[in-house]
Amino acid sequence: MKAADAIVECLKKEEVTTVFGYPGAAIMPLYEALRKSPIRHVLVRQEQAAAHSASGYARTSGKVGVCIATSGPGATNLITGIATAYMDSIPLVAFTGQVKSTLIGRDVFQEVDITGATEPFIKHSYLVKDAKDLPRIIKEAFHIAKTGRPGPVLIDIPVDMQNENIEFSYDEEVNIRGYKPTYIGHIGQIKRALRRLKDSKKPIICIGGGIVSAKAEKELLAFAEKSKIPVVCTLMGLGGMDHNSPYYIGMIGSHGDKVANKAVSEADVAVFMGARIADRATGGSKLFAKNADIIHIDVDPAEIGKNLGTSIPVVGDVKNILEQFLEMAQPLNTDEWVKYLTDLKQSGIKNRKPSSNVNPKYAIQLLSEVLDQNAILVADVGQNQMWSARNFKIFDERKFFTSGGLGTMGYSLPAAIGAAIAAPNRQVVATMGDGGFQMSFFELATLKQNKVKLIILLFNNEGLGMVREMQYKNYKAEYGVNLSGNPDFIKLADAYGIKGRRVLQDDELKEVFDEAIHSDETFLIECIVDPKESTL
């Protein structure tokens, strides 16, 4: 069997039904094999979008996302998408074409050392040196991508290797020396953690994206309710806890909820679950968990203690550990603590009313009221990210995706396309600013070609709003952030055959949302926002 055909057989064995890519000479044999296969190929308009779309697909489907690019610039265009997936622990397998194996290292046309270039921000990578190894490599790549702490894996394949003939066989089991993730928490550490919690008067659970990755939402809710411990989350932890739960307090961080940050600063025990606790989560505050004994649970031992001193480390899959917690947990005497935080939360709730212009916070709150209970919101980066994170209510099967670690502008549109392809019967909304949209609007052609339905909510404040806000705060003036040369976005969408409407004030939003929801196709809503609108 030709090696390129063997790659496709491996993908079928891994139950891959959709891949996102952009072809070129060095990956043509694989594309020829794909042409003859039942696997759906989604042609993006730039390789970075292939990685983001595969990310949105993976986050929605729970499967490993697959993206493909050719050598040289095709491969380097994937880099930001790979780094974005790495920082957010999203399982991807990226295939890149490479120049002939006999020419590697000679700086020939479209040659680049992509395994070396991605080394700092990829879970693992392979440069194929023998075509016979391809089935084993692909089996290992999918295993590595989705086990332990999920992440991207890259397979770089010289074009001549793709054309070689090999005997195909695909192992059912994987045994990689040196790669044995820990899933079950040490019973001694779990008992220590529960003993410390038993004596706590003001405990708090802080969740990160690890709860979502481990599909541990139900176990978390059950443990919080049984032990009566309030829960806060990081930006990546949004979606890990039902917002309707009386134990959900809010999002922490520099753009988080005041009551959530206060809860962490006053807690005597803080249990971090699947959270990196990086600077954006702590807000750089010296008060962050200053009174708390830290219990840190993570499947990746390298994360424990990296950003915050830990009293009790517990390494393992958070879903398994929560199940172990549940077996031994007892209700704590936290009624007074929970009431204190709940009262603070209620006093801080702002029931916004329509204004004479577009208030983006009101727009997200209204959108949250009209969407289905299993809708997916994909936020870009900048002010729109925080408007969405702080005002989109997550309950039942709703999901919230964003680039939380790397903070990649231009993420939301291609990621939303991947999400919509993975779940065509769910409502998918992509929010973005006019800056992020202009980094990705070429993907309108991808969604049009593939008959993908999205709602695109574009907040146009003629600038890079969050940077502008920070410049005024720190330097009393803005510089290099004005996007006054913006095109007419409604006409731009129309050029792609996409309907759209411009909204100038809040009382227009309900009608436009209804029109977008009931449209059979993608619908773009451009909201004109005051450039001085604040993030919080």
Side-chain angles (χ1 to χ4, degrees), residues 234-295:
T234 66
L235 177 64
M236 286 301 295
L238 282 169
M241 182 75 173
D242 192 317
H243 287 191
N244 286 330
S245 167
Y247 291 98
Y248 177 71
I249 303 301
M251 182 179 78
I252 63 167
S254 51
H255 294 96
D257 299 305
K258 187 176 179 180
V259 60
N261 287 325
K262 192 173 181 62
V264 176
S265 69
E266 294 186 9
D268 58 7
V269 177
V271 186
F272 293 92
M273 299 183 177
R276 183 182 300 131
I277 328 171
D279 57 333
R280 216 180 189 199
T282 65
S285 171
K286 294 180 180 177
L287 299 178
F288 187 84
K290 69 180 177 65
N291 299 316
D293 288 338
I294 305 297
I295 300 169

Side-chain angles (χ1 to χ4, degrees), residues 185-199 295 297 312-314 321 324-325 327-329:
H186 190 283
I187 190 64
Q189 292 299 83
I190 288 173
K191 287 181 177 178
R192 278 187 66 201
L194 291 173
R195 278 200 301 271
R196 181 63 191 92
L197 278 170
K198 186 179 178 182
D199 296 331
I295 300 169
I297 302 167
I312 304 175
V314 186
I321 290 171
Q324 292 172 277
F325 271 20
E327 289 179 2
M328 294 181 271

Side-chain angles (χ1 to χ4, degrees), residues 43-193:
L43 173 63
V44 297
R45 295 321 191 246
Q46 203 256 27
E47 292 87 348
Q48 185 182 137
H52 291 331
S53 292
S55 170
Y57 184 90
R59 295 173 85 161
T60 304
S61 67
K63 300 164 65 177
V64 176
V66 177
C67 55
I68 305 174
T70 190
S71 63
T76 55
N77 279 344
L78 277 181
I79 285 178
T80 298
I82 289 172
T84 302
Y86 179 79
M87 292 292 281
D88 291 343
S89 305
I90 309 300
L92 297 186
V93 171
F95 291 89
T96 50
Q98 184 54 278
V99 301
K100 289 182 179 179
S101 56
T102 53
L103 299 177
I104 289 176
R106 300 187 185 188
D107 293 337
V108 297
F109 180 66
Q110 290 195 333
E111 183 194 358
V112 72
D113 176 10
I114 191 62
T115 55
T118 55
E119 185 65 28
F121 42 78
I122 199 154
K123 192 172 179 186
H124 196 62
S125 61
Y126 297 88
L127 170 60
V128 179
K129 297 177 180 177
D130 188 331
K132 295 193 295 293
D133 293 335
L134 268 166
R136 174 187 58 80
I137 287 173
I138 293 171
K139 183 69 183 179
E140 290 181 359
F142 275 83
H143 176 72
I144 292 170
K146 65 187 177 187
T147 54
R149 178 180 179 172
V153 178
L154 183 140
I155 306 174
D156 195 30
I157 315 172
V159 64
D160 54 319
M161 299 279 180
Q162 298 169 47
N163 282 320
E164 285 190 16
N165 288 313
I166 64 171
E167 289 188 12
F168 178 73
S169 65
Y170 203 63
D171 293 335
E172 296 298 323
E173 301 293 329
V174 176
N175 187 9
I176 304 171
R177 184 183 299 171
Y179 179 72
K180 309 291 181 189
T182 300
Y183 291 105
I184 305 299
H186 190 283
I187 190 64
Q189 292 299 83
I190 288 173
K191 287 181 177 178
R192 278 187 66 201

Side-chain angles (χ1 to χ4, degrees), residues 289-318:
K290 69 180 177 65
N291 299 316
D293 288 338
I294 305 297
I295 300 169
H296 196 168
I297 302 167
D298 205 294
V299 72
D300 184 354
E303 288 296 340
I304 294 178
K306 186 166 76 177
N307 293 313
L308 205 62
T310 301
S311 305
I312 304 175
V314 186
V315 178
D317 180 87
V318 69

Side-chain angles (χ1 to χ4, degrees), residues 339-360:
K339 183 178 186 306
Y340 166 69
L341 294 177
T342 304
D343 289 347
L344 278 179
K345 179 182 175 182
Q346 289 298 324
S347 66
I349 291 176
K350 295 179 180 177
N351 292 311
R352 303 180 190 279
K353 297 181 179 178
S355 61
S356 57
N357 51 15
V358 175
N359 182 325

